[in-house]
Amino acid sequence: MAPVLAVTIFVVAFWFIATERAHKVKTVLVAAGLMTVLGLVPGERIFYSEHEGIDWNVIFLLLGMMVIVGVIKQTGLFDFLAIWAAKRSRGKPFRLMVMLMMITAIASPVLDNVTIILLVAPVTLVICDRLRISPQPYLIAEVLASNIGGAATLIGDPPNIIIGSRAGLTFNDFLVHMAPAVAMIFALFVLFTRVLFHADLHGNTAHIGDVMALQEKRAIKDTRLLIHALAVLAAVIVGFGLHSVLHVAPSIVALVGAGAMLLLTGVDVTEVLPEVEWPTLVFFMGLFVMVAGLVHTGVIEMLGTAAVSAFGDNWLLAASALIFGSAVLGAFVDNIPYTATMTPVVEGMVAQTPDDETGRALWWSFALGACFGGNGTAVAASANVVAIGIAHRAGHPISFWRFTKYGIVVTLLSTALAWVYVWLRYF
């Protein structure tokens, strides 16, 4: 009875999240409360169990990076980069799109996708307004680039943070195994955008002067603050890379970095804390409790056993199913709840593999599919939803189907290339 009840609560909550019939934070809090009140997961395990409760490593890693980004945002760095890119493109549509995508993709492995879009999208709107061109294609391209680029590192995309914490994978592990695939796929994606957005890239040379008149140096609000902020960010990235030497969890590195950022820059804490996406953190916590209900009642164990039985010892087939299955399922629901739900299942599959290398291959297959599936539809990743919301408020609405017709093509391309990479490297 308990497993059926847990699955019912989870499926109903998932349906509300996927269809956006109710706010996702409200949904997960209600579902998490029901899981606890009905005894489907013991209350004490929610806070103190690593595998049947809230994963505090994920929560505090996100919190620390959000504080760091909140300080960097005050420097005007991203405004500077966007204006610089627009001027270097000289108003040529494809060149402008490539430069904006490059900025987005290069920043995404260091800063999470939602933050990147929040920083880059408003400036993109200003530039397109000056050029008198439609901003929708550029915003869509930036989102697609951020979801691809963010897959490269542990902290670039929320699914990677969840997977890394559960699987014990380090920042360097992601750099060695994920970054090469992401670099190759992103390069091909950039070339493909000329075809993908061909009908939308119309230039307007009459207004190039308006963009060239923008002064990027004026975007930097405080040079001293920028130097200190970038120094701390660099130290944090080094701390992530030295995980195997220092044996300090990424969440601790992020929290220490956030504290150092606030101390060294002298920024008012009351100005930074509003920049933290508290609803996102609460959403994660509620989501972990929902998944804990499935774990504690044995649902996840049953799914894992079924998956192992289905694939037997054909681990290439299992890896293929994780890549394509994650891309398909992740395209129609937010890839964050999907990843949180499937991670324990994949953990059970990995436990049955004959060696560590094969087990790691399954984790990388899962990560690639989950991250690239985020481009599938307008609701597949948080960055997609944020960008569409910004465009709508600015009077340039992007419909579900307009985004999806580009996103599905990019997801198919990137997922197919990811499968080739996994096959060649691990099997």
Side-chain angles (χ1 to χ4, degrees):
M1 182 63 184
V4 174
L5 192 56
V7 169
T8 301
I9 293 171
F10 188 89
V11 169
V12 172
F14 216 108
W15 180 80
F16 274 103
I17 294 171
T19 59
E20 298 182 293
R21 294 295 181 91
H23 195 282
K24 62 183 182 181
V25 175
K26 296 178 182 178
T27 301
V28 296
L29 287 178
V30 170
L34 288 174
M35 289 283 192
T36 308
V37 170
L38 296 175
L40 301 178
V41 58
E44 67 274 9
R45 295 202 177 188
I46 291 174
F47 300 103
Y48 302 112
S49 174
E50 183 177 0
H51 294 288
E52 291 188 17
I54 298 170
D55 192 330
W56 295 110
N57 288 314
V58 172
I59 300 301
F60 286 116
L61 176 57
L62 286 171
L63 174 61
M65 293 307 297
M66 286 176 181
V67 171
I68 290 171
V69 169
V71 175
I72 294 176
K73 184 178 180 180
Q74 296 189 19
T75 68
L77 175 63
F78 277 86
D79 292 357
F80 171 88
L81 292 173
I83 294 171
W84 176 84
K87 293 178 70 173
R88 295 302 176 276
S89 72
R90 296 191 172 276
K92 295 182 179 180
F94 180 66
R95 185 182 296 179
L96 174 61
M97 178 175 283
V98 169
M99 297 197 77
L100 290 174
M101 287 192 302
M102 289 291 291
I103 290 173
T104 305
I106 291 172
S108 289
V110 180
L111 309 175
D112 70 273
N113 297 345
V114 173
T115 299
I116 296 300
I117 296 303
L118 287 171
L119 293 172
V120 175
V123 187
T124 301
L125 290 169
V126 171
I127 293 169
C128 290
D129 182 62
R130 292 289 185 100
L131 288 172
R132 306 297 194 275
I133 58 178
S134 173
Q136 288 97 328
Y138 299 90
L139 291 173
I140 294 172
E142 287 167 6
V143 172
L144 299 176
S146 74
N147 286 330
I148 293 175
T153 67
L154 170 68
I155 60 173
D157 210 357
N160 283 359
I161 298 174
I162 297 171
I163 292 170
S165 178
R166 188 84 181 201
L169 299 170
T170 67
F171 187 84
N172 289 347
D173 288 333
F174 277 87
L175 281 181
V176 171
H177 294 272
M178 293 284 284
V182 170
M184 173 193 69
I185 292 169
F186 178 73
L188 294 174
F189 164 67
V190 170
L191 296 175
F192 184 60
T193 51
R194 180 179 282 278
V195 177
L196 188 66
F197 292 98
H198 176 73
D200 300 301
L201 297 177
H202 303 295
N204 192 336
T205 56
H207 301 284
I208 292 177
D210 291 342
V211 169
M212 299 304 293
L214 294 172
Q215 298 294 321
E216 62 267 36
K217 290 183 179 179
R218 293 182 180 179
I220 302 298
K221 302 172 185 177
D222 189 330
T223 304
R224 180 175 174 275
L225 176 63
L226 175 62
I227 293 172
H228 287 170
L230 290 180
V232 174
L233 178 62
V236 169
I237 300 302
V238 171
F240 289 145
L242 294 177
H243 170 76
S244 58
V245 177
L246 301 175
H247 301 291
V248 178
S251 55
I252 302 301
V253 174
L255 285 177
V256 172
M261 182 78 83
L262 294 173
L263 285 173
L264 291 177
T265 60
V267 172
D268 190 343
V269 176
T270 58
E271 294 180 4
V272 176
L273 288 182
E275 298 293 335
V276 174
E277 297 169 44
W278 298 108
T280 299
L281 297 181
V282 175
F283 173 69
F284 268 102
M285 287 188 277
L287 192 59
F288 282 130
V289 178
M290 286 170 53
V291 175
L294 299 182
V295 173
H296 188 71
T297 55
V299 174
I300 295 297
E301 183 180 0
M302 288 186 286
L303 290 174
T305 302
V308 171
S309 299
F311 300 120
D313 58 355
N314 190 336
W315 300 113
L316 175 59
L317 179 60
S320 303
L322 284 172
I323 292 177
F324 292 108
S326 297
V328 171
L329 293 174
F332 292 96
V333 295
D334 193 305
N335 61 1
I336 295 174
Y338 167 75
T339 304
T341 307
M342 283 297 295
T343 300
V345 177
V346 179
E347 187 176 37
M349 294 172 64
V350 169
Q352 303 296 320
T353 55
D355 53 70
D356 291 341
E357 185 68 13
T358 304
R360 291 290 182 90
L362 295 187
W363 281 121
W364 302 131
S365 300
F366 179 41
L368 288 166
C371 290
F372 292 156
N375 276 332
T377 66
V379 298
S382 299
N384 309 9
V385 178
V386 168
I388 290 172
I390 291 173
H392 180 77
R393 288 193 297 274
H396 300 285
I398 300 173
S399 69
F400 178 92
W401 291 112
R402 180 169 186 179
F403 183 98
T404 302
K405 74 176 182 180
Y406 297 112
I408 284 182
V409 174
V410 173
T411 297
L412 290 173
L413 173 66
S414 58
T415 305
L417 291 171
W419 181 85
V420 173
Y421 171 80
V422 169
W423 175 57
L424 290 174
R425 181 161 183 178
Y426 303 107
F427 296 98

PDB file of all heavy atoms in Angstrom, residues 273-303:
ATOM      1  N   LEU A 273      21.678  39.143  -0.878  1.00  0.00           N
ATOM      2  CA  LEU A 273      20.754  38.058  -0.545  1.00  0.00           C
ATOM      3  C   LEU A 273      19.488  38.058  -1.410  1.00  0.00           C
ATOM      4  O   LEU A 273      18.983  36.977  -1.746  1.00  0.00           O
ATOM      5  CB  LEU A 273      20.387  38.122   0.939  1.00  0.00           C
ATOM      6  CG  LEU A 273      21.511  37.714   1.906  1.00  0.00           C
ATOM      7  CD1 LEU A 273      21.008  37.761   3.340  1.00  0.00           C
ATOM      8  CD2 LEU A 273      22.051  36.326   1.581  1.00  0.00           C
ATOM      9  N   PRO A 274      18.938  39.220  -1.797  1.00  0.00           N
ATOM     10  CA  PRO A 274      17.776  39.169  -2.699  1.00  0.00           C
ATOM     11  C   PRO A 274      18.093  38.546  -4.063  1.00  0.00           C
ATOM     12  O   PRO A 274      17.176  38.126  -4.781  1.00  0.00           O
ATOM     13  CB  PRO A 274      17.383  40.649  -2.852  1.00  0.00           C
ATOM     14  CG  PRO A 274      17.870  41.293  -1.594  1.00  0.00           C
ATOM     15  CD  PRO A 274      19.154  40.582  -1.288  1.00  0.00           C
ATOM     16  N   GLU A 275      19.385  38.508  -4.439  1.00  0.00           N
ATOM     17  CA  GLU A 275      19.773  37.909  -5.708  1.00  0.00           C
ATOM     18  C   GLU A 275      19.748  36.374  -5.652  1.00  0.00           C
ATOM     19  O   GLU A 275      19.763  35.699  -6.674  1.00  0.00           O
ATOM     20  CB  GLU A 275      21.182  38.372  -6.107  1.00  0.00           C
ATOM     21  CG  GLU A 275      21.314  39.866  -6.326  1.00  0.00           C
ATOM     22  CD  GLU A 275      20.530  40.347  -7.532  1.00  0.00           C
ATOM     23  OE1 GLU A 275      20.287  39.531  -8.441  1.00  0.00           O
ATOM     24  OE2 GLU A 275      20.144  41.525  -7.555  1.00  0.00           O
ATOM     25  N   VAL A 276      19.753  35.833  -4.432  1.00  0.00           N
ATOM     26  CA  VAL A 276      19.685  34.378  -4.278  1.00  0.00           C
ATOM     27  C   VAL A 276      18.291  33.900  -4.684  1.00  0.00           C
ATOM     28  O   VAL A 276      17.278  34.473  -4.274  1.00  0.00           O
ATOM     29  CB  VAL A 276      19.980  33.965  -2.822  1.00  0.00           C
ATOM     30  CG1 VAL A 276      19.753  32.463  -2.628  1.00  0.00           C
ATOM     31  CG2 VAL A 276      21.409  34.338  -2.449  1.00  0.00           C
ATOM     32  N   GLU A 277      18.240  32.870  -5.488  1.00  0.00           N
ATOM     33  CA  GLU A 277      16.959  32.342  -5.958  1.00  0.00           C
ATOM     34  C   GLU A 277      16.396  31.380  -4.903  1.00  0.00           C
ATOM     35  O   GLU A 277      16.464  30.157  -5.042  1.00  0.00           O
ATOM     36  CB  GLU A 277      17.146  31.640  -7.296  1.00  0.00           C
ATOM     37  CG  GLU A 277      17.620  32.568  -8.406  1.00  0.00           C
ATOM     38  CD  GLU A 277      18.052  31.791  -9.625  1.00  0.00           C
ATOM     39  OE1 GLU A 277      17.321  30.848  -9.998  1.00  0.00           O
ATOM     40  OE2 GLU A 277      19.094  32.104 -10.196  1.00  0.00           O
ATOM     41  N   TRP A 278      15.843  31.969  -3.858  1.00  0.00           N
ATOM     42  CA  TRP A 278      15.308  31.168  -2.755  1.00  0.00           C
ATOM     43  C   TRP A 278      14.233  30.184  -3.202  1.00  0.00           C
ATOM     44  O   TRP A 278      14.209  29.034  -2.730  1.00  0.00           O
ATOM     45  CB  TRP A 278      14.784  32.087  -1.655  1.00  0.00           C
ATOM     46  CG  TRP A 278      15.843  32.960  -1.057  1.00  0.00           C
ATOM     47  CD1 TRP A 278      16.008  34.307  -1.228  1.00  0.00           C
ATOM     48  CD2 TRP A 278      16.935  32.551  -0.212  1.00  0.00           C
ATOM     49  NE1 TRP A 278      17.114  34.762  -0.555  1.00  0.00           N
ATOM     50  CE2 TRP A 278      17.703  33.706   0.088  1.00  0.00           C
ATOM     51  CE3 TRP A 278      17.336  31.326   0.318  1.00  0.00           C
ATOM     52  CZ2 TRP A 278      18.838  33.663   0.891  1.00  0.00           C
ATOM     53  CZ3 TRP A 278      18.467  31.280   1.112  1.00  0.00           C
ATOM     54  CH2 TRP A 278      19.205  32.433   1.393  1.00  0.00           C
ATOM     55  N   PRO A 279      13.322  30.573  -4.114  1.00  0.00           N
ATOM     56  CA  PRO A 279      12.328  29.589  -4.575  1.00  0.00           C
ATOM     57  C   PRO A 279      12.964  28.340  -5.195  1.00  0.00           C
ATOM     58  O   PRO A 279      12.457  27.233  -5.022  1.00  0.00           O
ATOM     59  CB  PRO A 279      11.509  30.373  -5.624  1.00  0.00           C
ATOM     60  CG  PRO A 279      11.653  31.801  -5.209  1.00  0.00           C
ATOM     61  CD  PRO A 279      13.059  31.908  -4.692  1.00  0.00           C
ATOM     62  N   THR A 280      14.087  28.535  -5.917  1.00  0.00           N
ATOM     63  CA  THR A 280      14.771  27.388  -6.518  1.00  0.00           C
ATOM     64  C   THR A 280      15.318  26.459  -5.452  1.00  0.00           C
ATOM     65  O   THR A 280      15.209  25.227  -5.557  1.00  0.00           O
ATOM     66  CB  THR A 280      15.922  27.874  -7.428  1.00  0.00           C
ATOM     67  OG1 THR A 280      15.383  28.688  -8.475  1.00  0.00           O
ATOM     68  CG2 THR A 280      16.663  26.690  -8.043  1.00  0.00           C
ATOM     69  N   LEU A 281      15.906  27.019  -4.403  1.00  0.00           N
ATOM     70  CA  LEU A 281      16.460  26.199  -3.319  1.00  0.00           C
ATOM     71  C   LEU A 281      15.350  25.437  -2.590  1.00  0.00           C
ATOM     72  O   LEU A 281      15.509  24.253  -2.266  1.00  0.00           O
ATOM     73  CB  LEU A 281      17.225  27.082  -2.330  1.00  0.00           C
ATOM     74  CG  LEU A 281      18.461  27.816  -2.889  1.00  0.00           C
ATOM     75  CD1 LEU A 281      19.126  28.640  -1.791  1.00  0.00           C
ATOM     76  CD2 LEU A 281      19.457  26.832  -3.479  1.00  0.00           C
ATOM     77  N   VAL A 282      14.228  26.114  -2.332  1.00  0.00           N
ATOM     78  CA  VAL A 282      13.101  25.451  -1.667  1.00  0.00           C
ATOM     79  C   VAL A 282      12.536  24.351  -2.561  1.00  0.00           C
ATOM     80  O   VAL A 282      12.173  23.268  -2.096  1.00  0.00           O
ATOM     81  CB  VAL A 282      12.003  26.477  -1.309  1.00  0.00           C
ATOM     82  CG1 VAL A 282      10.777  25.771  -0.740  1.00  0.00           C
ATOM     83  CG2 VAL A 282      12.537  27.487  -0.292  1.00  0.00           C
ATOM     84  N   PHE A 283      12.487  24.622  -3.854  1.00  0.00           N
ATOM     85  CA  PHE A 283      12.011  23.616  -4.816  1.00  0.00           C
ATOM     86  C   PHE A 283      12.874  22.359  -4.752  1.00  0.00           C
ATOM     87  O   PHE A 283      12.368  21.234  -4.708  1.00  0.00           O
ATOM     88  CB  PHE A 283      12.034  24.205  -6.228  1.00  0.00           C
ATOM     89  CG  PHE A 283      11.719  23.212  -7.316  1.00  0.00           C
ATOM     90  CD1 PHE A 283      10.446  22.675  -7.447  1.00  0.00           C
ATOM     91  CD2 PHE A 283      12.693  22.804  -8.208  1.00  0.00           C
ATOM     92  CE1 PHE A 283      10.156  21.751  -8.447  1.00  0.00           C
ATOM     93  CE2 PHE A 283      12.418  21.893  -9.211  1.00  0.00           C
ATOM     94  CZ  PHE A 283      11.147  21.368  -9.328  1.00  0.00           C
ATOM     95  N   PHE A 284      14.187  22.535  -4.726  1.00  0.00           N
ATOM     96  CA  PHE A 284      15.093  21.397  -4.618  1.00  0.00           C
ATOM     97  C   PHE A 284      14.846  20.618  -3.339  1.00  0.00           C
ATOM     98  O   PHE A 284      14.799  19.378  -3.349  1.00  0.00           O
ATOM     99  CB  PHE A 284      16.546  21.883  -4.643  1.00  0.00           C
ATOM    100  CG  PHE A 284      17.148  21.903  -6.015  1.00  0.00           C
ATOM    101  CD1 PHE A 284      17.277  23.089  -6.712  1.00  0.00           C
ATOM    102  CD2 PHE A 284      17.604  20.739  -6.606  1.00  0.00           C
ATOM    103  CE1 PHE A 284      17.839  23.114  -7.970  1.00  0.00           C
ATOM    104  CE2 PHE A 284      18.175  20.757  -7.867  1.00  0.00           C
ATOM    105  CZ  PHE A 284      18.288  21.949  -8.552  1.00  0.00           C
ATOM    106  N   MET A 285      14.687  21.311  -2.214  1.00  0.00           N
ATOM    107  CA  MET A 285      14.497  20.628  -0.936  1.00  0.00           C
ATOM    108  C   MET A 285      13.211  19.802  -0.940  1.00  0.00           C
ATOM    109  O   MET A 285      13.192  18.640  -0.517  1.00  0.00           O
ATOM    110  CB  MET A 285      14.497  21.643   0.211  1.00  0.00           C
ATOM    111  CG  MET A 285      15.880  22.205   0.512  1.00  0.00           C
ATOM    112  SD  MET A 285      15.954  23.237   1.992  1.00  0.00           S
ATOM    113  CE  MET A 285      15.397  24.804   1.332  1.00  0.00           C
ATOM    114  N   GLY A 286      12.125  20.398  -1.430  1.00  0.00           N
ATOM    115  CA  GLY A 286      10.870  19.655  -1.517  1.00  0.00           C
ATOM    116  C   GLY A 286      10.971  18.465  -2.451  1.00  0.00           C
ATOM    117  O   GLY A 286      10.427  17.386  -2.181  1.00  0.00           O
ATOM    118  N   LEU A 287      11.688  18.648  -3.537  1.00  0.00           N
ATOM    119  CA  LEU A 287      11.862  17.589  -4.517  1.00  0.00           C
ATOM    120  C   LEU A 287      12.624  16.408  -3.925  1.00  0.00           C
ATOM    121  O   LEU A 287      12.274  15.240  -4.146  1.00  0.00           O
ATOM    122  CB  LEU A 287      12.621  18.155  -5.721  1.00  0.00           C
ATOM    123  CG  LEU A 287      12.686  17.306  -6.990  1.00  0.00           C
ATOM    124  CD1 LEU A 287      11.296  17.005  -7.502  1.00  0.00           C
ATOM    125  CD2 LEU A 287      13.506  18.027  -8.035  1.00  0.00           C
ATOM    126  N   PHE A 288      13.658  16.699  -3.155  1.00  0.00           N
ATOM    127  CA  PHE A 288      14.424  15.625  -2.525  1.00  0.00           C
ATOM    128  C   PHE A 288      13.550  14.813  -1.559  1.00  0.00           C
ATOM    129  O   PHE A 288      13.703  13.596  -1.453  1.00  0.00           O
ATOM    130  CB  PHE A 288      15.625  16.204  -1.777  1.00  0.00           C
ATOM    131  CG  PHE A 288      16.777  16.594  -2.673  1.00  0.00           C
ATOM    132  CD1 PHE A 288      17.364  17.837  -2.574  1.00  0.00           C
ATOM    133  CD2 PHE A 288      17.265  15.701  -3.613  1.00  0.00           C
ATOM    134  CE1 PHE A 288      18.422  18.194  -3.399  1.00  0.00           C
ATOM    135  CE2 PHE A 288      18.325  16.049  -4.447  1.00  0.00           C
ATOM    136  CZ  PHE A 288      18.901  17.300  -4.331  1.00  0.00           C
ATOM    137  N   VAL A 289      12.649  15.475  -0.867  1.00  0.00           N
ATOM    138  CA  VAL A 289      11.759  14.768   0.063  1.00  0.00           C
ATOM    139  C   VAL A 289      10.792  13.880  -0.720  1.00  0.00           C
ATOM    140  O   VAL A 289      10.489  12.748  -0.314  1.00  0.00           O
ATOM    141  CB  VAL A 289      10.993  15.758   0.953  1.00  0.00           C
ATOM    142  CG1 VAL A 289      10.028  15.009   1.877  1.00  0.00           C
ATOM    143  CG2 VAL A 289      11.966  16.580   1.793  1.00  0.00           C
ATOM    144  N   MET A 290      10.289  14.384  -1.851  1.00  0.00           N
ATOM    145  CA  MET A 290       9.407  13.569  -2.685  1.00  0.00           C
ATOM    146  C   MET A 290      10.101  12.293  -3.142  1.00  0.00           C
ATOM    147  O   MET A 290       9.546  11.198  -3.071  1.00  0.00           O
ATOM    148  CB  MET A 290       8.957  14.376  -3.917  1.00  0.00           C
ATOM    149  CG  MET A 290       7.925  15.460  -3.638  1.00  0.00           C
ATOM    150  SD  MET A 290       7.676  16.527  -5.082  1.00  0.00           S
ATOM    151  CE  MET A 290       7.315  15.335  -6.373  1.00  0.00           C
ATOM    152  N   VAL A 291      11.342  12.445  -3.618  1.00  0.00           N
ATOM    153  CA  VAL A 291      12.102  11.280  -4.076  1.00  0.00           C
ATOM    154  C   VAL A 291      12.404  10.346  -2.902  1.00  0.00           C
ATOM    155  O   VAL A 291      12.396   9.113  -3.047  1.00  0.00           O
ATOM    156  CB  VAL A 291      13.404  11.728  -4.767  1.00  0.00           C
ATOM    157  CG1 VAL A 291      14.265  10.516  -5.128  1.00  0.00           C
ATOM    158  CG2 VAL A 291      13.096  12.541  -6.011  1.00  0.00           C
ATOM    159  N   ALA A 292      12.651  10.935  -1.720  1.00  0.00           N
ATOM    160  CA  ALA A 292      12.933  10.116  -0.524  1.00  0.00           C
ATOM    161  C   ALA A 292      11.759   9.193  -0.215  1.00  0.00           C
ATOM    162  O   ALA A 292      11.953   8.057   0.233  1.00  0.00           O
ATOM    163  CB  ALA A 292      13.213  11.021   0.673  1.00  0.00           C
ATOM    164  N   GLY A 293      10.534   9.666  -0.462  1.00  0.00           N
ATOM    165  CA  GLY A 293       9.358   8.820  -0.250  1.00  0.00           C
ATOM    166  C   GLY A 293       9.382   7.592  -1.137  1.00  0.00           C
ATOM    167  O   GLY A 293       9.034   6.485  -0.711  1.00  0.00           O
ATOM    168  N   LEU A 294       9.845   7.782  -2.395  1.00  0.00           N
ATOM    169  CA  LEU A 294       9.948   6.647  -3.314  1.00  0.00           C
ATOM    170  C   LEU A 294      11.068   5.699  -2.897  1.00  0.00           C
ATOM    171  O   LEU A 294      10.951   4.480  -3.025  1.00  0.00           O
ATOM    172  CB  LEU A 294      10.206   7.156  -4.742  1.00  0.00           C
ATOM    173  CG  LEU A 294       9.135   8.054  -5.362  1.00  0.00           C
ATOM    174  CD1 LEU A 294       9.537   8.430  -6.792  1.00  0.00           C
ATOM    175  CD2 LEU A 294       7.770   7.370  -5.376  1.00  0.00           C
ATOM    176  N   VAL A 295      12.159   6.261  -2.393  1.00  0.00           N
ATOM    177  CA  VAL A 295      13.285   5.429  -1.955  1.00  0.00           C
ATOM    178  C   VAL A 295      12.906   4.608  -0.730  1.00  0.00           C
ATOM    179  O   VAL A 295      13.122   3.389  -0.678  1.00  0.00           O
ATOM    180  CB  VAL A 295      14.512   6.315  -1.639  1.00  0.00           C
ATOM    181  CG1 VAL A 295      15.630   5.465  -1.028  1.00  0.00           C
ATOM    182  CG2 VAL A 295      15.020   7.005  -2.898  1.00  0.00           C
ATOM    183  N   HIS A 296      12.313   5.267   0.260  1.00  0.00           N
ATOM    184  CA  HIS A 296      12.020   4.604   1.528  1.00  0.00           C
ATOM    185  C   HIS A 296      10.965   3.511   1.387  1.00  0.00           C
ATOM    186  O   HIS A 296      11.003   2.505   2.104  1.00  0.00           O
ATOM    187  CB  HIS A 296      11.553   5.631   2.559  1.00  0.00           C
ATOM    188  CG  HIS A 296      11.412   5.075   3.944  1.00  0.00           C
ATOM    189  ND1 HIS A 296      12.492   4.731   4.724  1.00  0.00           N
ATOM    190  CD2 HIS A 296      10.303   4.765   4.684  1.00  0.00           C
ATOM    191  CE1 HIS A 296      12.075   4.257   5.881  1.00  0.00           C
ATOM    192  NE2 HIS A 296      10.760   4.260   5.887  1.00  0.00           N
ATOM    193  N   THR A 297      10.031   3.686   0.463  1.00  0.00           N
ATOM    194  CA  THR A 297       8.970   2.688   0.282  1.00  0.00           C
ATOM    195  C   THR A 297       9.384   1.565  -0.672  1.00  0.00           C
ATOM    196  O   THR A 297       8.587   0.663  -0.951  1.00  0.00           O
ATOM    197  CB  THR A 297       7.688   3.356  -0.250  1.00  0.00           C
ATOM    198  OG1 THR A 297       7.988   4.089  -1.451  1.00  0.00           O
ATOM    199  CG2 THR A 297       7.107   4.307   0.790  1.00  0.00           C
ATOM    200  N   GLY A 298      10.603   1.647  -1.212  1.00  0.00           N
ATOM    201  CA  GLY A 298      11.111   0.573  -2.059  1.00  0.00           C
ATOM    202  C   GLY A 298      10.803   0.705  -3.534  1.00  0.00           C
ATOM    203  O   GLY A 298      11.162  -0.176  -4.322  1.00  0.00           O
ATOM    204  N   VAL A 299      10.174   1.801  -3.952  1.00  0.00           N
ATOM    205  CA  VAL A 299       9.811   1.974  -5.361  1.00  0.00           C
ATOM    206  C   VAL A 299      11.057   2.079  -6.231  1.00  0.00           C
ATOM    207  O   VAL A 299      11.154   1.439  -7.291  1.00  0.00           O
ATOM    208  CB  VAL A 299       8.924   3.225  -5.539  1.00  0.00           C
ATOM    209  CG1 VAL A 299       8.670   3.491  -7.024  1.00  0.00           C
ATOM    210  CG2 VAL A 299       7.606   3.062  -4.795  1.00  0.00           C
ATOM    211  N   ILE A 300      12.034   2.873  -5.779  1.00  0.00           N
ATOM    212  CA  ILE A 300      13.256   3.065  -6.558  1.00  0.00           C
ATOM    213  C   ILE A 300      14.024   1.756  -6.702  1.00  0.00           C
ATOM    214  O   ILE A 300      14.551   1.429  -7.771  1.00  0.00           O
ATOM    215  CB  ILE A 300      14.153   4.138  -5.894  1.00  0.00           C
ATOM    216  CG1 ILE A 300      13.466   5.512  -5.930  1.00  0.00           C
ATOM    217  CG2 ILE A 300      15.510   4.204  -6.578  1.00  0.00           C
ATOM    218  CD1 ILE A 300      13.212   6.053  -7.311  1.00  0.00           C
ATOM    219  N   GLU A 301      14.058   0.975  -5.631  1.00  0.00           N
ATOM    220  CA  GLU A 301      14.757  -0.309  -5.677  1.00  0.00           C
ATOM    221  C   GLU A 301      14.111  -1.240  -6.704  1.00  0.00           C
ATOM    222  O   GLU A 301      14.798  -1.939  -7.458  1.00  0.00           O
ATOM    223  CB  GLU A 301      14.749  -0.961  -4.297  1.00  0.00           C
ATOM    224  CG  GLU A 301      15.519  -2.267  -4.240  1.00  0.00           C
ATOM    225  CD  GLU A 301      15.508  -2.893  -2.862  1.00  0.00           C
ATOM    226  OE1 GLU A 301      14.901  -2.311  -1.934  1.00  0.00           O
ATOM    227  OE2 GLU A 301      16.104  -3.978  -2.707  1.00  0.00           O
ATOM    228  N   MET A 302      12.779  -1.234  -6.750  1.00  0.00           N
ATOM    229  CA  MET A 302      12.071  -2.074  -7.720  1.00  0.00           C
ATOM    230  C   MET A 302      12.368  -1.629  -9.153  1.00  0.00           C
ATOM    231  O   MET A 302      12.561  -2.459 -10.046  1.00  0.00           O
ATOM    232  CB  MET A 302      10.570  -2.033  -7.445  1.00  0.00           C
ATOM    233  CG  MET A 302      10.147  -2.794  -6.193  1.00  0.00           C
ATOM    234  SD  MET A 302       8.345  -2.881  -5.968  1.00  0.00           S
ATOM    235  CE  MET A 302       7.981  -1.208  -5.448  1.00  0.00           C
ATOM    236  N   LEU A 303      12.401  -0.312  -9.380  1.00  0.00           N
ATOM    237  CA  LEU A 303      12.704   0.208 -10.710  1.00  0.00           C
ATOM    238  C   LEU A 303      14.123  -0.160 -11.124  1.00  0.00           C
ATOM    239  O   LEU A 303      14.371  -0.535 -12.273  1.00  0.00           O
ATOM    240  CB  LEU A 303      12.529   1.736 -10.735  1.00  0.00           C
ATOM    241  CG  LEU A 303      11.101   2.270 -10.639  1.00  0.00           C
ATOM    242  CD1 LEU A 303      11.111   3.786 -10.533  1.00  0.00           C
ATOM    243  CD2 LEU A 303      10.300   1.839 -11.871  1.00  0.00           C
TER     244      LEU A 303
END
